[in-house]
Amino acid sequence: MAEPVRPKVFTIPAHRAFADALATGLIRQFGPTAHGDDLALARGLVLLPNNRAKRALTDAFVRASAGGLLLPRLVAIGDPALDEGVGAALDHADSDHAIPPAVEPLQRRMILARLIGEERARSGQPVDAAEAVRLAGDLARTLDQLLVEDIAPTRLRQIELNDAMSAHWERALALFEIVLDRWPAELERIGRIDLADRRARVLRRLADRWDVAPPSGFICAAGITDSAPAVARLLRCVADRPRGMVVMADLAIGMDEAEWQALGPHRADPDTGITRRSIETHPQFHLKLLLDRMSVNRTEVRQWRDGSDHDATVARGKAVANALATAEATARWASLPAEQRRLGGITAAELATPGEEAQAIALALREVAETPGRTAALVTPDRALARRVSAHCKRWDITVDDSAGRPLSILPPGTLLTALAEAATQRFAPLALLTLLKHPLVRSGPLRTAWLDGARALDRVLRGPRPAAGLAGIDAHLRQSRRAGDAIAWWPEARALLEPLEPLFARDAPLAPLIAGLRETAQALCGDALWAGPNGRAAAELLRSIEDHAADGPLRVDPASIAPLLTTLMGEVAVRAQLGGHPRIAIYGLIEARLQTADVMILGGLNEGTWPGLPAPDPWLAPRIRIELGLPGLDRGVGMAAHDLAQALGAPSALITRARRGGTQPAIASRFWLRLQALAGERFERASGLEGWARALDDPREHRPAERPVPVPPADRRPTAIAVTDVDRLKADPYAFYAKRILGLVPLDPVDADPSAAWRGTAVHAILEQWAREDKCALDTLHGRALAMFDGAHPMQRALWRPRLMEAITWIVAEMGKQADAGRSVLAVEQSGKVAIAGVTLTGKFDRIDRNPDGSLAIIDYKTGKAPSAAAVREGFSLQLGLLGLIAERGGFEDIAGIARGFEYWSLTKNGEAFGKVSSPVDPAGKLDKVLPEDFVTLAARHFSDAAGEWLTGMRGFEAKLHPDYAPFAEYDQLMRRDEWYGRE
């Protein structure tokens, strides 16, 4: 009886450079000098996990070859076009057995989103289109896992739910079953099958064909870690062929047998029926599962004999394997000999922040770039860290792009489409509108400068409370604004580009016209520049695909869901940079780094939650249900991440890095970092030099905090005129006065701001001025003018402020009626005047001046906030009414003459249960320590003369926050660098 053929399965340990060792071995076995056949290598077929591995092996062949070399066919088993890649191994002429084409990913996503939306609506839990698309993505991943693991969806109905199963999971499971029932009918309707199903069929057919008719050349399956049944079946087929071989990456053939068997998967205990959980977080679990499904015993696996010049030491590989042992096996660390705990060639850098970590990594990459012939690669799952490192490298003209790509959602075309959708959804609210109009892709090129001038002019007009919604609201706001100016002339151009989009986003509509409207408007705003380059092409292809398959998705879409829908889909599109980066420096994600090698491998972001990442929850199947079905556990990715770490640590030199803080909170070191540190102990070598350089690169050496600013401008630069409203600012915070009046710096209101006290005050004063000038203070017209102020105002303003204002207006009307009955009359309103005093011109504008029955003047100031206190008056502040009385008494107001004896604040704030209150800083009897009416003007004149003599006609410096208790102005605090010096004394 013939002895069974031993499967040819090999492993390349982690301390060897996988691609180089593989290339060297294949050249040795099948190269021109092996059998005298120049085409033996070229007739071979090498199956690899992905396209990045194909590039890595190609580069390794180039390094290993002494001259010209005809390479074998390299095929990625993860490629959707796998059947085309293997060529004649599959006969496409047999139409009766042809494998149907796969459904396009976005088409499947849209169909599933529609099914989810319909079923959720039937159950009384409707979802919007964006949420349905997000859930469809999770559902598609779960469905793919079922297909990959050859698990029939009907198995769901065989699971017995107990009372402990939450209502949420019961609903999710019920919805999952309904969708899975309807999904096959949808596939039959379009004549397609799932991509995962098609891949499994291709792999099975390939294995069946090779069982009877293997290729004429050799077959090598290398670096494949996918343990799917179809993949395992194909790998076993390859291993059994006379000229076939399977080469695995870092299979632990030296691991203790008990530890190996503890990994699982385990069979149910025959007595209890309980199945022991597998250790899926171990880096060897997925390889053991693959061997089990191949029906290959670990003792049948041999070590690949070839190596390369890029290998590390055997001791390093053993030490890393010990560090990643199972929890039970870590107990033997203390008894391990020193050589098995030494991480020679691995250094660790622990930095304070992610920014500092990126700087350290960039410095390490720069050092390698300046060493001729050496190569380096950063491997990290943290794409933000990768982008930071790339940006730091550009400081030294080192171009190194992240091979994992950047999501389209953060690239200019993606942010433009999102901004456009947000602006249309928010009916062109100021903040969203200005974000869109100022986007760098809008009117890029020679027209950009003029466009930005117009957008900035519109920005200035739109600062303050939000105008009415829609483009018509912007039109009305521009007509009413006194500072519209250039914006009015420019706005029609922008409006014409945006106008076609407004009716589309006014109500629910099919998805296709909404996306088409976005595309056409984006084209009108940006031209062809929007679709240029890899970023633009990716955006164009996504929009085209959405439009092509929109009919398969939700029938009606709320326009508000378009922006989040696009963000979700664009976030899943990785745009990779074109070639042209540094030839010896690279940045990889974990998948891209597999089979890669470099002289220096930098493993960045070793914090818990990053490497390994947090397992993504499955919203469709509870963890217990996944276990019952035999699906991979949610934390299997931890084991894969550990295996990736072990592979990357096999470089000749390795650097691991982490930041002690992540964002705004402390970060926890990765479990892998802690294991390496615990194993090595005092031999855990720190890259102290690199850590120091990273800190020192931006270290200013010394800090010189700012002193309190006291500018002393020359006499000819000091103002010769001052308004009564600026006197308090001059005395309490001279620097703020200096910044406003001498430097001419005036802070702008925020865009889309809530109505502030200043805005409300200005609006009320405008109403009262119009009422006095045009209606001659007719009491029956004030209410109508107040109501008219809210025409076109934001609904929030109308709801919150109109009732309060109308009660205050009612109080004003009643109060003026009482005073008219008492013989008091209105002399003038809102009039400006000036008077020369203390060598300067004092200007002011009163709200109202009345004539008292005794012939004296009463100065009235309307307040929408709280009136000044008597204490402020005593300290020489809040003398505005007294200064206005001074101007009036000296004839500074036209047609106003008399002695000022009345000084009143008419406050419109709440007073008990009502609104409105009259208060005064003076009292005829001096009660409450108030000033006498006959002394108030004199007191104001004296304080003003003293201040003018010091700062306006004198040479005193404009000191910041001289009297902080009376300086509530914060507009210039940043300019004066207040936080650096305030309170130091």
Side-chain angles (χ1 to χ4, degrees):
M1 185 175 181
E3 186 175 338
V5 177
R6 180 181 181 182
K8 292 177 285 300
V9 183
F10 303 87
T11 181
I12 298 177
H15 66 272
R16 292 186 186 174
F18 186 93
D20 289 273
L22 179 65
T24 301
L26 292 178
I27 292 174
R28 175 182 58 80
Q29 296 181 62
F30 306 106
T33 60
H35 305 288
D37 184 355
D38 292 341
L39 298 179
L41 186 65
R43 281 193 291 268
L45 177 67
V46 180
L47 301 178
L48 295 164
N50 51 46
N51 289 321
R52 175 64 64 175
K54 289 169 57 177
R55 184 184 301 180
L57 185 57
T58 300
D59 293 342
F61 272 122
V62 172
R63 289 191 293 268
S65 63
L69 191 68
L70 292 175
L71 299 184
R73 177 179 292 177
L74 307 181
V75 177
I77 66 166
D79 194 329
L82 172 62
D83 48 346
E84 297 177 10
V86 296
L90 290 178
D91 187 1
H92 295 278
D94 186 0
S95 59
D96 293 337
H97 298 88
I99 301 175
V103 60
E104 291 190 32
L106 190 57
Q107 184 180 19
R108 179 171 77 155
R109 187 80 167 265
M110 287 297 172
I111 294 174
L112 291 175
R114 172 169 53 81
L115 298 180
I116 291 171
E118 291 173 356
E119 296 303 330
R120 290 284 289 267
R122 287 194 186 100
S123 64
Q125 298 175 319
V127 295
D128 63 17
E131 179 66 4
V133 168
R134 186 190 68 80
L135 288 172
D138 294 327
L139 176 61
R141 282 185 285 273
T142 302
L143 179 59
D144 283 342
Q145 290 177 349
L146 290 172
L147 294 172
V148 166
E149 296 294 329
D150 280 349
I151 298 172
T154 54
R155 286 270 307 277
L156 286 168
R157 296 185 176 90
Q158 301 171 11
I159 298 176
E160 295 182 2
L161 299 179
N162 55 30
D163 295 337
M165 183 63 66
S166 69
H168 164 73
W169 288 116
E170 289 185 7
R171 289 194 301 269
L173 192 58
L175 178 59
F176 189 58
E177 289 182 342
I178 294 172
V179 171
L180 291 186
D181 283 342
R182 297 182 60 186
W183 175 237
E186 294 287 342
L187 287 176
E188 185 177 357
R189 176 179 62 84
I190 60 178
R192 302 277 177 141
I193 61 175
D194 285 297
L195 180 59
D197 183 19
R198 188 176 193 279
R199 176 172 173 264
R201 294 190 194 187
V202 170
L203 292 175
R204 286 194 292 267
R205 181 170 294 189
L206 192 58
D208 293 341
R209 178 62 60 89
W210 284 348
D211 277 338
V212 297
S216 59
F218 72 89
I219 316 170
C220 176
I224 297 171
T225 58
D226 189 348
S227 58
V231 174
R233 166 79 174 84
L234 177 64
L235 295 188
R236 179 58 196 247
C237 172
V238 171
D240 288 342
R241 301 283 67 77
R243 304 189 70 186
M245 66 189 75
V246 173
V247 184
M248 307 181 80
D250 189 29
L251 179 71
I253 56 178
M255 180 186 288
D256 179 78
E257 182 63 19
E259 185 180 353
W260 175 260
Q261 294 300 332
L263 299 181
H266 305 286
R267 296 178 180 177
D269 187 284
D271 297 327
T272 64
I274 298 175
T275 303
R276 181 182 171 192
R277 291 199 63 177
S278 301
I279 310 176
E280 295 189 63
T281 57
H282 194 277
Q284 292 292 316
F285 173 80
H286 62 286
L287 296 179
K288 183 177 186 300
L289 180 61
L290 178 58
L291 278 185
D292 289 350
R293 289 178 172 177
M294 289 173 62
S295 299
V296 173
N297 192 283
R298 186 173 57 131
T299 59
E300 298 179 284
V301 180
R302 290 165 283 178
Q303 184 165 303
W304 190 257
R305 57 177 286 190
D306 299 280
S308 72
D309 296 334
H310 301 277
D311 296 345
T313 63
V314 176
R316 163 105 64 84
K318 290 182 177 179
V320 172
N322 285 328
L324 299 178
T326 60
E328 292 78 4
T330 57
R332 68 169 185 262
W333 283 354
S335 61
L336 287 175
E339 61 271 12
Q340 294 189 28
R341 299 176 62 185
R342 185 176 294 113
L343 299 172
I346 299 178
T347 55
E350 190 173 32
L351 291 308
T353 64
E356 197 172 291
E357 181 186 9
Q359 184 127 277
I361 294 172
L363 283 170
L365 293 176
R366 178 184 176 182
E367 181 182 10
V368 172
E370 293 178 351
T371 306
R374 281 176 62 79
T375 59
L378 165 64
V379 181
T380 178
D382 187 347
R383 307 280 42 92
L385 177 63
R387 290 193 291 271
R388 278 183 164 179
V389 172
S390 178
H392 278 299
C393 288
K394 288 181 181 177
R395 299 166 66 185
W396 307 304
D397 292 329
I398 299 175
T399 302
V400 49
D401 292 310
D402 185 1
S403 69
R406 302 175 68 187
L408 177 59
S409 57
I410 68 171
L411 296 173
T415 57
L416 183 280
L417 293 171
T418 304
L420 183 55
E422 289 282 6
T425 298
Q426 298 180 28
R427 299 192 63 192
F428 303 103
L431 195 58
L433 175 64
L434 293 173
T435 299
L436 170 64
L437 297 178
K438 294 181 182 180
H439 192 280
L441 286 179
V442 175
R443 284 294 186 267
S444 59
L447 302 177
R448 176 73 175 169
T449 301
W451 178 270
L452 279 182
D453 289 341
R456 288 165 181 158
L458 181 65
D459 182 323
R460 289 190 290 271
V461 178
L462 293 180
R463 289 184 175 269
R466 177 185 294 193
L471 298 175
I474 304 293
D475 298 339
H477 187 74
L478 289 174
R479 288 193 300 268
Q480 296 167 5
S481 175
R482 299 177 181 177
R483 54 185 181 182
D486 297 337
I488 289 182
W490 174 84
W491 170 242
E493 178 188 357
R495 191 190 197 286
L497 298 174
L498 301 173
E499 191 171 8
L501 200 60
E502 188 171 31
L504 281 176
F505 276 70
R507 60 189 64 85
D508 290 1
L511 180 59
L514 291 174
I515 296 298
L518 279 180
R519 173 177 48 77
E520 293 166 2
T521 304
Q523 172 73 32
L525 286 168
C526 306
D528 292 338
L530 175 61
W531 319 114
N535 303 340
R537 288 195 294 273
E541 290 170 5
L542 178 62
L543 292 187
R544 177 194 57 78
S545 187
I546 294 175
E547 288 188 67
D548 288 347
H549 303 303
D552 294 310
L555 300 180
R556 306 287 291 182
V557 175
D558 180 357
S561 65
I562 293 297
L565 184 151
L566 286 175
T567 300
T568 296
L569 294 179
M570 291 190 298
E572 299 171 5
V573 177
V575 182
R576 293 172 171 81
Q578 294 176 316
L579 298 178
H582 197 283
R584 295 185 286 112
I585 306 295
I587 298 177
Y588 300 124
L590 296 189
I591 295 177
E592 291 76 22
R594 291 172 186 167
L595 310 190
Q596 301 288 345
T597 189
D599 296 321
V600 179
M601 294 291 277
I602 303 173
L603 285 63
L606 276 167
N607 281 331
E608 200 69 14
T610 301
W611 194 343
L614 296 174
D618 186 344
W620 294 100
L621 300 179
R624 191 180 72 80
I625 295 177
R626 294 179 63 89
I627 293 174
E628 292 283 345
L629 290 173
L631 286 174
L634 295 177
D635 54 358
R636 185 177 294 187
V638 174
M640 300 293 292
H643 190 260
D644 293 332
L645 179 94
Q647 286 288 103
L649 288 176
S653 178
L655 169 68
I656 60 176
T657 69
R658 69 171 293 261
R660 289 188 293 272
R661 293 190 67 84
T664 59
Q665 59 188 2
I668 300 174
S670 166
R671 65 190 74 180
F672 306 144
W673 175 288
L674 296 176
R675 279 172 166 265
L676 292 170
Q677 187 177 37
L679 176 78
E682 61 183 17
R683 302 177 184 84
F684 191 62
E685 185 179 353
R686 293 290 292 270
S688 54
L690 182 63
E691 294 173 355
W693 274 108
R695 289 190 295 267
L697 189 61
D698 294 327
D699 187 0
R701 296 296 180 186
E702 61 176 327
H703 297 273
R704 297 180 180 177
E707 299 297 328
R708 176 183 290 199
V710 189
V712 185
D716 60 347
R717 297 296 304 275
R718 296 182 181 239
T720 57
I722 182 173
V724 295
T725 52
D726 280 336
V727 174
D728 278 356
R729 189 187 296 267
L730 173 64
K731 294 177 63 180
D733 192 355
Y735 184 87
F737 177 86
Y738 164 81
K740 177 182 178 182
R741 290 296 311 278
I742 298 178
L743 298 183
L745 301 177
V746 180
L748 297 175
D749 291 331
V751 176
D752 218 355
D754 292 330
S756 63
W759 181 88
R760 291 196 296 267
T762 301
V764 170
H765 279 77
I767 295 171
L768 296 173
E769 180 178 2
Q770 293 172 4
W771 172 59
R773 293 190 186 281
E774 300 177 15
D775 302 340
K776 306 305 180 184
C777 294
L779 299 182
D780 58 344
T781 62
L782 184 54
H783 283 87
R785 287 196 173 274
L787 288 172
M789 185 190 79
F790 292 98
D791 291 344
H794 191 272
M796 188 67 71
Q797 296 177 28
R798 290 198 301 268
L800 296 181
W801 197 43
R802 183 166 62 180
R804 303 167 63 91
L805 176 62
M806 297 313 298
E807 287 201 36
I809 291 297
T810 301
W811 172 80
I812 289 178
V813 171
E815 191 68 22
M816 291 190 69
K818 293 178 185 177
Q819 294 187 352
D821 293 341
R824 180 163 156 177
S825 60
V826 176
L827 279 182
V829 296
E830 299 290 343
Q831 183 176 321
S832 299
K834 61 183 178 179
V835 67
I837 179 174
V840 297
T841 300
L842 178 65
T843 65
K845 183 178 182 180
F846 59 79
D847 291 342
R848 196 177 93 223
I849 290 183
D850 290 354
R851 179 74 71 183
N852 289 320
D854 62 0
S856 62
L857 302 178
I859 315 296
I860 293 93
D861 185 32
Y862 294 117
K863 289 285 186 184
T864 53
K866 188 177 180 181
S869 66
V873 175
R874 287 196 305 272
E875 294 292 329
F877 296 94
S878 301
L879 299 176
Q880 179 180 347
L881 290 181
L883 294 176
L884 290 172
L886 174 66
I887 298 174
E889 289 186 353
R890 298 194 181 187
F893 295 120
E894 185 178 357
D895 298 330
I896 301 293
I899 302 300
R901 288 293 181 266
F903 305 93
E904 297 174 353
Y905 291 109
W906 286 37
S907 179
L908 308 187
T909 57
K910 194 168 185 179
N911 179 25
E913 296 299 322
F915 283 83
K917 178 182 180 182
V918 176
S919 59
S920 176
V922 301
D923 185 82
K927 294 178 181 179
L928 301 177
D929 208 14
K930 290 185 177 181
V931 181
L932 298 175
E934 58 269 21
D935 296 337
F936 192 41
V937 171
T938 303
L939 176 69
R942 176 167 55 81
H943 279 288
F944 173 74
S945 298
D946 293 343
E950 291 192 58
W951 287 289
L952 302 184
T953 59
M955 291 299 294
R956 181 171 177 176
F958 291 86
E959 188 174 3
K961 298 293 182 185
L962 183 60
H963 297 286
D965 291 342
Y966 300 103
F969 331 105
E971 305 100 315
Y972 304 100
D973 284 2
Q974 184 179 11
L975 182 65
M976 67 177 68
R977 297 168 72 171
R978 172 188 177 278
D979 291 346
E980 293 188 34
W981 55 262
Y982 187 74
R984 188 184 308 153
E985 300 172 358

